[in-house]
Amino acid sequence: MATEPLRVVLDTDVLLAATPSHSPYRIVLDELFGGGYESFLSTEIFLEYEEKMGQFFDPETSDSIVGGMNLLPNVHRVEPHFNLKLITADPDDDKFVDCAFAANVNYLVTNDRHFNVLKSLNFPKINLMRIEAFADLLRSRRIATQVV
């Protein structure tokens, strides 16, 4: 029985943590590039990915990750036409919430504590997942597919 594809928005901190080849979270990028889940992003998020990756990694690495994501069939652009303004501690993070809500994702994957305010809201219901838990989920889904 095929499992439903996971639908996620990745916060920039997740992308940065998953990029090094020796990272314990590398599975996040490996599964993305292997089609293991669907990722949603807006132009605003894409531009932040480009900016932050360029600050932390060499141009070749940054271009291969961010440019590659732009070509993947399981990476979808969503352009929210609203701003929920839920992350008052860091309004720049609102773009991730807006995208997650517009795309109706399963999880917004982040380790940024500013998003914790979402846990206290009844609406919109945005499920948060830390990178550690997401990496574990991807590993268990990979094992389940190999067993079948």
Side-chain angles (χ1 to χ4, degrees):
M1 179 168 128
T3 57
E4 285 290 314
L6 286 174
R7 299 167 51 91
V8 303
V9 168
L10 301 175
D11 189 12
T12 307
D13 66 334
V14 171
L15 188 65
L16 295 173
T19 296
S21 58
H22 61 279
S23 170
Y25 313 116
R26 182 60 188 214
I27 190 168
V28 171
L29 283 180
D30 291 345
E31 286 293 307
L32 178 64
F33 278 84
Y37 63 93
E38 295 181 15
S39 179
F40 294 80
L41 52 89
S42 63
T43 298
E44 228 183 329
I45 292 171
F46 183 78
L47 293 173
E48 181 172 306
Y49 285 175
E50 279 187 321
E51 176 191 349
K52 296 298 183 185
M53 288 290 290
Q55 290 174 1
F56 289 93
F57 298 98
D58 61 84
E60 184 179 312
T61 300
S62 178
D63 289 348
S64 68
I65 300 292
V66 180
M69 287 176 71
N70 205 30
L71 301 173
L72 292 173
N74 55 315
V75 174
H76 310 282
R77 289 287 177 110
V78 174
E79 300 303 337
H81 298 287
F82 49 81
N83 186 331
L84 297 172
K85 298 182 180 180
L86 299 175
I87 312 293
T88 55
D90 187 358
D92 194 44
D93 287 337
D94 279 323
K95 64 180 156 280
F96 296 97
V97 176
D98 295 341
C99 183
F101 180 66
N104 193 30
V105 298
N106 301 103
Y107 302 106
L108 192 166
V109 183
T110 184
N111 279 15
D112 186 336
R113 60 183 163 68
H114 293 134
F115 289 93
N116 287 341
V117 68
L118 299 175
K119 294 176 183 177
S120 65
L121 301 177
N122 291 326
F123 182 84
K125 191 64 184 156
I126 309 280
N127 296 313
L128 300 177
M129 184 175 280
R130 293 183 56 81
I131 189 173
E132 299 87 354
F134 188 57
D136 288 345
L137 177 61
L138 293 174
R139 283 185 197 95
S140 67
R141 288 172 65 97
R142 182 186 276 177
I143 290 168
T145 353
Q146 291 171 351
V147 169
V148 173

